[in-house]
Amino acid sequence: TRDGNLTIDFNVSDPNDDRLTIDINYSTANTQGSGTALYTDLNLTTFAPTNCDDLNFADSTECSVDLNISAITDNNYFILIRIEDASLNDFNASDNSFKIDNNAPTAASISADTANWAWHTNYTNDTTPALTISASDANEMAFSCDGTTYSSYVAYAASYGSFNAKTGSGCTNADGNKTIRLKVRDLAGNTSSAASTSPSFVVDATAPAVVSFDPSISASNLDTTPQFSVNFTESNKWYCTVRPFVNGVAQADQNVAIISALELKGMEN
């Protein structure tokens, strides 16, 4: 459970319908007398802080009391109850322990895998890059581009490759600079602050297009190291390379330079 009030339910009965008092402890062991006292000599015939269905204890009566857990150290606990009337007493403990968890998990880091990225640092045509994740006490994780609208939670894993940086939650469906944010949630529902990919990266899923090639492919030239001009468009106006082929054999990639707002030019010598 997480920060707030925990309701403890219990049933009591006394054939003589006597005045009943209880002691309630929380403990890491289900042993009578162990742990920390929550209430001592709490009178069940009064309505506060307990709430019983009725005050006729001759038959089984369901009662409850609230426990504020905000100041209790995170751990697994049993609830111990000792009850007594004027002359006799009895003890019982919860069958199973429960965990108090007041602390949020930590999303330590998230990074996009660069193994399949393009030749220029932080550029990729992969809209769902592999994400490497580090977190503590995490049970689930969610992702976002804008840090406001997050995806549905999925089971926590150290790697994830299904978040789309263009169509995912909080993302803009366009090529461009992308930052993916991560938050994690623990079993109690506590949520971490966000971690984000740093530096951001560029998703470019739009291919450039060749406009012209000079000299033409059919031209003849006696120069064994001729100069070629390749004109092509690149809608995002980002980095490009030209890969020439000679008789069907790929040559070394060549960098290109922007020469106008709409056109790039590549040179091969």
Side-chain angles (χ1 to χ4, degrees):
T1 186
R2 57 178 167 175
D3 192 2
N5 284 326
L6 175 69
T7 298
I8 303 170
D9 296 317
F10 55 96
N11 292 290
V12 298
S13 65
D14 180 41
N16 297 322
D17 195 21
D18 288 333
R19 173 182 177 274
L20 299 179
T21 61
I22 61 171
D23 300 336
I24 302 179
N25 288 24
Y26 65 90
S27 174
T28 56
N30 59 351
T31 304
Q32 183 175 351
S34 65
T36 302
L38 296 172
Y39 298 101
T40 302
D41 291 332
L42 183 61
N43 186 355
L44 293 184
T45 59
T46 60
F47 285 100
T50 58
N51 180 25
C52 295
D53 288 346
D54 57 62
L55 298 182
N56 177 16
F57 301 130
D59 56 10
S60 180
T61 301
E62 183 175 317
C63 300
S64 64
V65 64
D66 285 340
L67 164 62
N68 187 285
I69 65 171
S70 58
I72 299 177
T73 303
D74 289 1
N75 210 331
N76 292 302
Y77 294 102
F78 292 90
I79 294 296
L80 314 179
I81 296 181
R82 180 181 181 274
I83 188 168
E84 64 178 21
D85 59 13
S87 59
L88 299 172
N89 65 76
D90 192 21
F91 167 79
N92 206 340
S94 56
D95 293 332
N96 298 297
S97 64
F98 63 95
K99 183 176 182 178
I100 289 178
D101 184 358
N102 291 313
N103 295 310
T106 301
S109 65
I110 176 173
S111 60
D113 185 4
T114 62
N116 296 318
W117 284 15
W119 66 277
H120 194 275
T121 303
N122 296 339
Y123 279 71
T124 181
N125 61 3
D126 187 357
T127 58
T128 56
L131 302 173
T132 300
I133 297 158
S134 174
S136 63
D137 194 28
N139 181 60
E140 298 174 308
M141 57 188 180
F143 303 90
S144 172
C145 282
D146 62 7
T148 300
T149 303
Y150 277 83
S151 66
S152 299
Y153 279 96
V154 297
Y156 174 77
S159 61
Y160 190 72
S162 297
F163 183 75
N164 194 301
K166 293 180 66 173
T167 61
S169 298
C171 301
T172 301
N173 191 9
D175 291 349
N177 287 287
K178 304 292 181 179
T179 299
I180 297 178
R181 294 166 175 83
L182 161 78
K183 63 180 181 180
V184 296
R185 186 166 65 181
D186 63 20
L187 285 170
N190 300 308
T191 303
S192 72
S193 55
S196 60
T197 52
S198 180
S200 61
F201 58 95
V202 173
V203 170
D204 180 3
T206 305
V210 175
V211 175
S212 64
F213 182 84
D214 184 31
S216 66
I217 295 176
S218 61
S220 61
N221 197 317
L222 297 179
D223 188 352
T224 59
T225 58
Q227 183 181 60
F228 297 98
S229 293
V230 181
N231 292 281
F232 55 93
T233 58
E234 160 56 18
S235 60
N236 290 317
K237 306 175 188 65
W238 290 324
Y239 297 94
C240 290
T241 59
V242 171
R243 178 173 297 171
F245 287 77
V246 177
N247 294 327
V249 178
Q251 307 299 304
D253 288 350
Q254 302 295 310
N255 295 349
V256 297
I258 298 174
I259 61 172
S260 71
L262 297 177
E263 191 174 55
L264 298 174
K265 186 174 182 181
M267 305 295 293
E268 162 66 11
N269 291 310

